[in-house]
Amino acid sequence: MPTRNTPWPDGTPCWVDYGAADPAAAKEFYGRLFGWDWTADSPEYGGYVNALKGGAQAAGLGPLTDADDSPAWTTYFATGDAAATCDRIREAGGTVVVEPMAVGPMGTMVIALDPQGNGFGLWQAGTHTGAEVVDEHGAQVWNEAAVDDVPAARAFYGAVFGFSWDEIPDMGGYATFSTDGRPLGGLGPVGPGAPKGWSTCFAVTSADDTVAAVEAAGGKVTHPAEDTEFGRFAVVTDPWGASFSVMQLPPEG
């Protein structure tokens, strides 16, 4: 199990969480789909809970705070200085929606929009360091953004996080971003069946079985499972319309 219990390097997509219209139903759906257990409800934090995989933190879930919002997954980037990162977001043309907010001793969170209106978060770790398990069934394996203006988005995220870009041939302008040579995620144009903005990809043992389970539970397939050089990949929506993707990792060796 790939695990980590220390803060992630700045710019790393370090955490994902889900804003739920029906938290109890969402916990049932995702718990069955990914084999998650849940921490106890936390009224002092608005009912926010952590999803656990083998006892390690994999993701978060909480009720929507605005009745007008739609259920969705949010990607958070690690930062050692949330206030300074907010300054760079504004300087690069983005908007800080939720100013740096301490979440007890666990850390400091921010919600922001890039200049094209795509939402993302920041997490400055305290006792909660973000994802403790990655790259296995039920844990995040990749985060990427689908945007209308790729060059502008590269310029924005490069200015905020210091990313460098490595464009992948024959993928329509899709590029991975990295710091210090470590690939962290991807960004490219909006494609068929792909959600706009930041999306989370979860590792699964079988893409086809996971897609079938999503459909059986009332979700939909927006990009059918297909083989890629990185693994078998599909994009789905949950029963409440929130999009995410799954990737069946190739066997090791």
Side-chain angles (χ1 to χ4, degrees):
M1 178 188 290
T3 60
R4 183 186 183 98
N5 59 10
T6 55
W8 290 87
D10 284 10
T12 304
C14 68
W15 187 242
V16 294
D17 67 15
Y18 183 76
D22 185 339
K27 286 167 66 177
E28 174 71 14
F29 171 81
Y30 284 104
R32 285 182 176 272
L33 190 69
F34 292 135
W36 286 345
D37 298 313
W38 302 93
T39 55
D41 288 341
S42 54
E44 68 273 31
Y45 296 115
Y48 193 95
V49 294
N50 291 308
L52 304 178
K53 185 71 179 177
Q57 294 168 174
L61 183 148
L64 290 172
T65 56
D66 188 332
D68 293 330
D69 289 342
S70 299
W73 284 97
T74 298
T75 295
Y76 293 79
F77 294 88
T79 177
D81 188 332
T85 307
C86 285
D87 289 342
R88 293 196 298 275
I89 288 170
R90 296 188 186 94
E91 290 166 3
T95 303
V96 176
V97 178
V98 176
E99 296 285 345
M101 179 176 70
V103 186
M106 292 182 288
T108 299
M109 68 165 288
V110 171
I111 299 295
L113 300 173
D114 69 20
Q116 299 180 53
N118 301 307
F120 63 96
L122 305 177
W123 183 249
Q124 181 178 331
T127 59
H128 190 304
T129 57
E132 295 178 332
V133 56
V134 295
D135 299 348
E136 72 160 50
H137 181 83
Q140 70 186 79
V141 66
W142 193 247
N143 301 80
E144 62 185 15
V147 300
D148 292 322
D149 187 333
V150 171
R154 288 191 194 179
F156 171 78
Y157 289 103
V160 172
F161 295 114
F163 292 154
S164 57
W165 302 90
D166 185 10
E167 189 164 327
I168 299 177
D170 304 319
M171 287 192 65
Y174 185 92
T176 60
F177 56 85
S178 62
T179 60
D180 299 325
R182 297 176 300 109
L184 301 174
L187 185 148
V190 180
K196 186 177 176 181
W198 285 98
S199 63
T200 300
C201 185
F202 294 97
V204 294
T205 54
S206 170
D208 294 286
D209 289 350
T210 304
V211 166
V214 168
E215 290 184 298
K220 297 180 179 179
V221 179
T222 57
H223 185 98
E226 67 172 358
D227 292 322
T228 74
E229 62 180 294
F230 308 105
R232 191 159 175 80
F233 172 82
V235 182
V236 297
T237 62
D238 68 17
W240 305 275
S243 182
F244 61 98
S245 57
V246 296
M247 175 70 77
Q248 178 178 323
L249 299 180
E252 295 184 4

